[in-house]
Amino acid sequence: MTPQPPPEPRNADGETRRVGVEIEFAGLPPRETAELVRELFGGEVEVLSPHRLKVTGTRWGEFGIELDTQYAHPDQTVVNAEAAGDSEWERMRLDFHARTRELIGDVVTDLVPTEIVCPPVPWDELEELDALFEALRTHGAKGTDASLLYGFGLHLNPEVPSLEAESLLAYLRAYLLSAAWLREQIHVDITREVLPHANPFPRAYALRVLDPDYAPDLDTLIDDYLADNPTRNRELDMFPLFAHLRPDHPHELLRSKLVKARPTFHYRLPNAQLSEPGWGAVTEWNRWLEVERLATTPETLAERSAQFLARHRPSAPRRWLTRLHRWVTRR
């Protein structure tokens, strides 16, 4: 499958937009996965800890591979604190901590996913990255539908074409209008529906954003998003982008160590369909482009927003009561 071109193929600097890809799966431990990545894309394997590795020096940059649980890896706050000392007791404590975390990783290897975080890839080279998905299938990696316990996902991180509030608002509106269609096309796994990692946006937030009178500047767009979505667990997570745009923002969620600031949308909805031949990053990229096409077609975007509001907006009295409630609760 060939990646389709986005309507805005270049970023604000005129360079080809890139896409970060993250994939979760079972059945293949991190060390074997790292070797597989090296065989496909070259580079060198570096072992950071028994269940966390990276492959450096590939044509696109660095791949990160690890068990997706913090308890399988040494806690850096413990390591740094104890490494600062130089006593035999402290060295024994550090060794015990590392061995304990390694043992936890060994025990949970079949219960928590291995995750690959790929370096950003130019959108027109995603087809080459899909060789990794075929290799994972061949080597026994298991995706979302292999077990009811596997709430695994694929995340895309498309670089934004513009950092202006007007452009970001258009893409956010387009996503809100396309979310139901994307869920139908993907057939989001029941386990992933139950788990909170890719929750839909609240209806009230969609109504606010799709209102034609809503024209926020960047700071208002960020603050309104945080007020109505105080969680990373959204199908389109805007935290990494907002943390990149406002690195000094005081909100604790944007300052969390779990939020990796970057100029991208963090699209978390797709399943990890490794049992499906031919499925890969290109499949989900081509689906995502429905959002981008709508975002860059202002008349259609406005028309569909109006239709959504006509179907879902409450009556005038209810809107007045909602505003009154917000005013009272904010005092």
Side-chain angles (χ1 to χ4, degrees):
M1 185 177 293
T2 302
Q4 298 172 11
E8 296 183 298
R10 298 190 177 276
N11 62 20
D13 296 324
E15 301 169 336
T16 299
R17 289 171 60 199
R18 297 181 298 169
V19 186
V21 179
E22 305 167 34
I23 176 71
E24 302 167 331
F25 54 89
L28 203 61
R31 189 177 293 271
E32 294 177 30
T33 301
E35 289 295 338
L36 183 59
V37 170
R38 184 190 60 77
E39 290 173 12
L40 287 170
F41 304 121
E44 299 292 332
V45 175
E46 295 186 22
V47 180
L48 304 179
S49 64
H51 300 290
R52 174 178 285 156
L53 305 94
K54 61 182 180 180
V55 180
T56 60
T58 77
R59 57 180 293 189
W60 296 306
E62 178 180 300
F63 287 77
I65 302 101
E66 64 178 52
L67 281 183
D68 191 19
T69 173
Q70 61 180 331
Y71 302 109
H73 314 295
D75 185 333
Q76 289 305 308
T77 59
V78 173
V79 171
N80 293 338
E82 295 186 352
D86 195 29
S87 70
E88 183 66 24
W89 171 246
E90 286 166 337
R91 286 194 292 272
M92 289 175 59
R93 280 173 50 113
L94 186 59
D95 181 64
F96 178 76
H97 175 76
R99 289 177 180 274
T100 300
R101 291 302 176 98
E102 179 180 1
L103 178 60
I104 291 173
D106 292 342
V107 170
V108 304
T109 292
D110 292 328
L111 300 176
V112 301
T114 296
E115 180 183 41
I116 303 176
V117 178
C118 304
V121 174
W123 67 264
D124 53 359
E125 297 178 23
L126 280 172
E127 187 174 7
E128 299 177 51
L129 183 64
D130 268 3
L132 174 59
F133 292 78
E134 185 58 37
L136 290 172
R137 271 188 288 271
T138 301
H139 287 76
K142 300 173 183 178
T144 313
D145 59 355
S147 170
L148 286 174
L149 299 176
Y150 293 168
F152 304 156
L154 174 133
H155 298 176
L156 293 183
N157 296 281
E159 185 178 15
V160 298
S162 169
L163 298 175
E164 298 298 321
E166 183 178 4
S167 173
L168 301 181
L169 177 61
Y171 277 78
L172 186 53
R173 282 172 166 163
Y175 187 83
L176 291 168
L177 293 168
S178 304
W181 178 85
L182 286 167
R183 286 179 174 273
E184 290 175 1
Q185 294 296 308
I186 293 169
H187 303 295
V188 178
D189 185 82
I190 184 63
T191 302
R192 301 191 70 240
E193 289 279 17
V194 172
L195 293 172
H197 306 310
N199 283 343
F201 286 94
R203 178 67 54 80
Y205 180 69
L207 292 173
R208 179 207 292 255
V209 171
L210 295 172
D211 190 312
D213 294 330
Y214 185 64
D217 61 16
L218 184 57
D219 290 315
T220 302
L221 181 66
I222 293 173
D223 289 342
D224 287 347
Y225 182 94
L226 290 167
D228 286 345
N229 304 279
T231 175
R232 297 170 56 240
N233 295 327
R234 288 285 181 259
E235 52 196 334
L236 183 67
D237 172 21
M238 300 290 281
F239 281 10
L241 175 58
F242 290 158
H244 170 79
L245 292 169
R246 291 292 184 267
D248 296 325
H249 197 287
H251 200 290
E252 61 181 5
L253 288 175
L254 292 188
R255 304 171 76 87
S256 168
K257 65 179 181 179
L258 297 176
V259 174
K260 305 297 188 293
R262 52 187 183 260
T264 72
F265 301 111
H266 185 37
Y267 173 48
R268 302 162 61 99
L269 190 61
N271 303 322
Q273 293 295 126
L274 287 173
S275 63
E276 184 178 317
W279 176 87
V282 172
T283 302
E284 302 304 339
W285 165 255
N286 288 345
R287 284 180 177 143
W288 161 260
L289 288 183
E290 290 299 312
V291 175
E292 301 215 358
R293 296 186 186 105
L294 180 57
T296 52
T297 313
E299 291 184 1
T300 304
L301 182 60
E303 180 181 350
R304 288 189 53 187
S305 295
Q307 292 170 353
F308 184 97
L309 292 171
R311 288 195 307 269
H312 300 293
R313 179 178 263 170
S315 63
R318 184 172 292 276
R319 290 201 303 273
W320 183 85
L321 288 172
T322 299
R323 289 176 185 149
L324 178 61
H325 179 264
R326 284 179 181 166
W327 180 78
V328 170
T329 56
R330 288 179 179 178
R331 290 196 54 165

